Structures are given as C-alpha cells and as structure tokens.
Amino acid sequence: MSSMRIAALEDDVDQAQMVQQILTFAGHDCHIFVDGKSILRQLKRESYDLLVLDWQLPDLTGPEVVQWVRANLEGHIPILFLTGRADERDIVDGLSCGADDYMVKPIRRGELMARVNALLRRAYPQLPAETFHVGVYTVDTRVREVQLRGQLVELTQKEYELALFLFRNVGRLLSRKHMLE
C-alpha cells in the first residue's frame, strides 16, 4: 500500500504522538488534530484518505465529527474510532453513526496497523495495470504513456507520475501541499 494521508483527531498529546509515530513508521503521512473544530476546518480545505477519531474531545464528540464528514464530504472516506469507550452500546453507536471500524484503547501497534490497512485496502483497492480515459486523454499504466486525442504526449518520469496522480484524483480537492508531498 502506498503512502496515504491520514488525519488523526486525539486531544491527548501523548496518544496523538503515538498514533502519528505508528502511522508514520508504516510510511503514511499522518496529520494530528487536538480538537474537532480544527479538523473540520482542515477537511474543508484538504482531503485525507483515512480519519482516525477519538470519541471524547474538548469541543465536539467523535460521532458529531463523523456526522459532519458524512454530510459534507463527497466520496466515502474511511473512519476508524480509536477510543477508550469499551461498552457495547458505544461501539454500536460509533458504527451506527457512520464510522467504518472501532478500536478500543489502549493503543496496540499491531492491531492499529491491521485495522488501518484493512480499511485502506477496502476503500482503495489496488488498480491493476490498465488503460483509462479522462476527457480527451488516454492513460496506459502498463507502458506509462499519456495520449492526447490519440497522440503520444512526451513526459519525463516525474511529469508522468504527476499526471497519473492528477488523473486518478479528478474531482478530489488537492491542496498544493498534498501535491508537493
């Protein structure tokens, strides 16, 4: 699985740093938020491939963040609750409000990575080598070519990778920072 952009909402700084360290070590780009309002502000400007949310926050609850995401963002971004709330009722409520998975703290590195990887595999299945069309462009990933109305477009390796990235993300909000990464 290639590097994914993950937003983690956790108000306990030590826990947030642990989540960030685990996900970064696995090769992902993990952004930490300590309150609900800051993650919602950022989600209006940038896209993420996965959200990891705590339930108890200083301003909003995890379920309120999930409901906002489901109501306001296009596509289905996978959401994992990572919380100390272990009652069956909380787990049912968390999954019922729109989260895709639920993990009870304490954070266990292996379990967190297994759940994150499973969510990412389901949400972003690896695309086989293929030819696909975007408007008047044809992209052939087997031979790493881009054609414009049937004419080969001469691209360097970096230009091809950027074009492929953009074509695979048509319609998604991509910040300049995200593209630079």
Side-chain angles (χ1 to χ4, degrees):
M1 174 81 41
S2 60
S3 176
M4 299 298 232
R5 284 172 51 87
I6 300 174
L9 176 57
E10 170 63 67
D11 64 322
D12 178 313
V13 175
D14 292 335
Q15 297 272 332
Q17 288 174 339
M18 181 187 299
V19 169
Q20 186 175 41
Q21 183 224 358
I22 292 168
L23 297 174
T24 301
F25 183 77
H28 299 296
D29 179 20
C30 184
H31 300 255
I32 298 296
F33 299 90
V34 295
D35 63 76
K37 287 186 173 68
S38 64
I39 196 171
L40 296 185
R41 263 195 315 277
Q42 197 63 18
L43 285 167
K44 291 175 187 173
R45 291 196 294 266
E46 294 200 37
S47 62
Y48 293 92
D49 299 306
L50 173 78
L51 302 180
V52 177
L53 305 178
D54 191 7
W55 189 295
Q56 302 286 94
L57 301 161
D59 55 352
L60 300 171
T61 66
E64 288 172 328
V65 173
V66 173
Q67 289 163 347
W68 184 93
V69 167
R70 295 296 181 232
N72 294 283
L73 298 182
E74 290 192 24
H76 185 85
I77 181 170
I79 298 175
L80 168 66
F81 265 117
L82 178 56
T83 176
R85 296 174 72 121
D87 290 346
E88 181 184 16
R89 183 78 230 143
D90 294 325
I91 296 169
V92 170
D93 288 347
L95 295 171
S96 297
C97 79
D100 298 286
D101 199 359
Y102 195 103
M103 181 176 159
V104 177
K105 293 176 184 173
I107 298 170
R108 291 168 302 282
R109 179 182 300 269
E111 182 184 358
L112 177 60
M113 284 315 310
R115 289 179 182 277
V116 163
N117 289 335
L119 286 170
L120 291 172
R121 268 195 317 274
R122 285 195 297 272
Y124 310 102
Q126 291 296 8
L127 300 171
E130 62 182 3
T131 299
F132 63 95
H133 303 280
V134 179
V136 296
Y137 292 93
T138 303
V139 179
D140 186 338
T141 60
R142 287 181 297 264
V143 292
R144 301 177 68 80
E145 286 182 354
V146 176
Q147 294 182 2
L148 170 62
R149 293 187 182 95
Q151 296 296 315
L152 181 64
V153 178
E154 294 290 332
L155 298 172
T156 66
Q157 181 69 27
K158 282 282 186 218
E159 290 168 340
Y160 170 80
E161 289 172 6
L162 179 60
L164 182 62
F165 172 75
L166 292 171
F167 286 138
R168 283 197 169 150
N169 286 285
V170 168
R172 278 185 80 186
L173 183 63
L174 301 172
S175 70
R176 182 174 187 275
K177 181 181 174 207
H178 185 177
M179 288 189 282
L180 289 172
E181 289 169 5

